[in-house]
Amino acid sequence: MIPQAAVDPVLPPEVTAQARDLGPLESPLIWLTAAGAAVAILAVTIALSRNRRARRWGISGAVALFLVAAVTAVNSYVGYVRTPEDLGRLFARGSGAASAVGQLLTDGGGESDAITPASQATAAHQQPSSGQAIQVFSVADPARNVPSGDNYVILPPGYSDPANAHHRYPVVYLIHGYPYGGPRDWLTSGSAPDTLRSLEAAKVIEPMIVVSVDMTAGQPSKDWECLDVPGGPQLETYLAKTVVPAVDHRYRTVADRRHRALGGMSGGGFGALNIGLHHVDEFSNLVIALPYDDLNDSIGVLNGNQAAIAANTPRRYLPTMAFSAPVSVMLAVGTGAPTDVATARRIAAAFHERGQEAVVHSEHGFNHTWHTARATLPYLLAFADQNFRGAGPAS
């Protein structure tokens, strides 16, 4: 029998509109303007083709504008760079002039200035604040071949208020995509801080802690898929047995599986599914955007180890898996990506067959992009909140 308790939340329009809106650097007007200017310059260049200097400069300018149009069109589709601060974050990854440009773009304010190193504002000694706070702290695990990585912690309003000194909070862990993803993506492309604020302002969710985990093992270009790689980084174990205890130690969490959710997008969504199934004792809720259940092109990271491949392919093991404790799952997709829709329905059906709760949320017209992850995040967090409340009080 298919369980009926998993429900797709109904959210206020102001919450969903905020999550679906395009950022200033995602507007199609940017690439349309650049493409139009390139065409205009090219037309003028053709008219002045007898002038060698004008022809040279005109062609160079048109090519440059066409490149700008192509890059901004891709960004408009994917939704990775929303604001100047996001762009600055990308430049800051470079060195020299690129890093300087990144500093200029992020110095103007925005979320980058709101992040405090946890060493300067520990959970026990941070200054009282009634607003949302974001901290970053590093957790290294050399024994598991994982170097120190930055994990971002979004603390709810009132966390440092003395009146809440004994209050404990449920936690949602979010994993970035692969490759070239990183933990800060959920703060920028995923708009998690804004989404939390809108959900809390609308009184949709109770206060919660959200942690965006660094699962790059110091190599963002590598498609690790959050795996325990034979001879490589043990990322699954790092998250479940190193990061989670570190968060529980540093912050006032409700340190039990019923008040803990694991989620992610795309490659991070695969990681959340696989890790969540391997660690049912740690996570009772899975909230996944753009899911898949097979390693596909990422299978090479396991170097042909057939036992590891079988153990890390949910499509193979989920249909016969025995659950030691119940889980609730939300799978979020865009209808513009039919493969994602079919995959989500297949995963949900497998959970149902195993007697577990699962629901699929679809965003009409969205694709396999950060736009979809951002638009569905309010539903994923509201779903987690429903289950947290059903598990009992957080303090």
Side-chain angles (χ1 to χ4, degrees), residues 131-133 153-159 167-174 192-193 195-197 199-200 204-211 247 251-254 259-262 285 287 377-389 394:
Q132 182 187 80
V153 181
I154 308 173
L155 298 173
Y159 179 87
H167 187 84
R168 292 187 171 273
Y169 301 85
V171 186
V172 176
Y173 292 85
L174 296 176
T195 295
L196 281 165
R197 279 192 289 265
L199 286 167
E200 289 160 357
V204 173
I205 64 172
E206 295 290 334
M208 64 174 63
I209 295 172
V210 171
V211 181
V247 170
Y251 299 97
R252 297 195 310 276
T253 68
V254 186
H259 295 88
R260 196 180 287 138
L262 178 61
N285 305 287
V287 285
L377 182 60
Y379 294 93
L380 297 173
L381 295 178
F383 180 83
D385 175 76
Q386 288 177 354
N387 291 300
F388 294 154
R389 296 194 204 200

Side-chain angles (χ1 to χ4, degrees), residues 271-366:
L273 176 63
N274 194 44
I275 294 173
L277 290 173
H278 290 170
H279 296 273
V280 173
D281 58 328
E282 298 288 333
F283 306 98
S284 68
N285 305 287
L286 303 180
V287 285
I288 300 169
L290 321 180
Y292 54 91
D293 56 358
D294 198 301
L295 287 165
N296 299 317
D297 294 340
S298 304
I299 199 169
V301 76
L302 294 176
N303 299 316
N305 186 316
Q306 293 302 311
I309 292 170
N312 291 285
T313 304
R315 187 171 184 177
R316 295 192 196 180
Y317 67 76
L318 175 56
T320 58
M321 178 176 166
F323 284 81
S324 58
V327 297
S328 295
V329 185
M330 171 171 272
L331 306 152
V333 295
T335 61
T339 299
D340 284 2
V341 175
T343 300
R345 289 174 177 168
R346 179 178 67 241
I347 296 171
F351 274 107
H352 292 157
E353 288 296 321
R354 305 313 300 161
Q356 306 304 311
E357 299 176 354
V359 64
V360 176
H361 172 81
S362 300
E363 285 288 312
H364 182 71
F366 283 67

Side-chain angles (χ1 to χ4, degrees), residues 17-215:
Q18 178 273 324
R20 291 168 179 153
D21 281 350
L22 298 180
L25 296 186
E26 296 175 302
S27 172
L29 291 176
I30 298 175
W31 70 266
L32 288 171
T33 300
V39 170
I41 290 175
L42 193 59
V44 172
T45 300
I46 293 173
L48 300 175
S49 59
R50 293 183 180 180
N51 186 316
R52 183 177 299 176
R53 177 176 294 182
R55 183 171 67 246
R56 183 170 62 250
W57 282 102
I59 292 174
S60 298
V63 169
L65 285 168
F66 273 125
L67 287 174
V68 169
V71 170
T72 53
V74 170
N75 184 63
S76 181
Y77 173 76
V78 174
Y80 189 65
V81 181
R82 297 182 306 126
T83 67
E85 287 76 25
D86 293 357
L87 185 60
R89 171 181 55 85
L90 286 179
F91 276 113
R93 292 181 181 177
S95 59
S99 180
V101 171
Q103 189 65 40
L104 286 173
L105 288 170
T106 56
D107 274 349
E111 65 84 22
S112 58
D113 286 345
I115 298 172
T116 304
S119 60
Q120 296 178 17
T122 65
H125 300 100
Q126 61 185 335
Q127 293 297 314
S129 171
S130 60
Q132 182 187 80
I134 303 175
Q135 295 185 6
V136 57
F137 75 101
S138 295
V139 181
D141 193 344
R144 295 189 171 100
N145 293 317
V146 179
S148 183
D150 289 339
N151 301 279
Y152 292 87
V153 181
I154 308 173
L155 298 173
Y159 179 87
S160 61
D161 190 325
N164 295 323
H166 300 292
H167 187 84
R168 292 187 171 273
Y169 301 85
V171 186
V172 176
Y173 292 85
L174 296 176
I175 308 174
H176 53 79
Y178 288 97
Y180 296 105
R184 202 156 176 175
D185 290 349
W186 275 109
L187 275 64
T188 54
S189 309
S191 193
D194 289 343
T195 295
L196 281 165
R197 279 192 289 265
S198 66
L199 286 167
E200 289 160 357
K203 301 188 183 306
V204 173
I205 64 172
E206 295 290 334
M208 64 174 63
I209 295 172
V210 171
V211 181
S212 185
V213 186
D214 188 342
M215 297 291 276

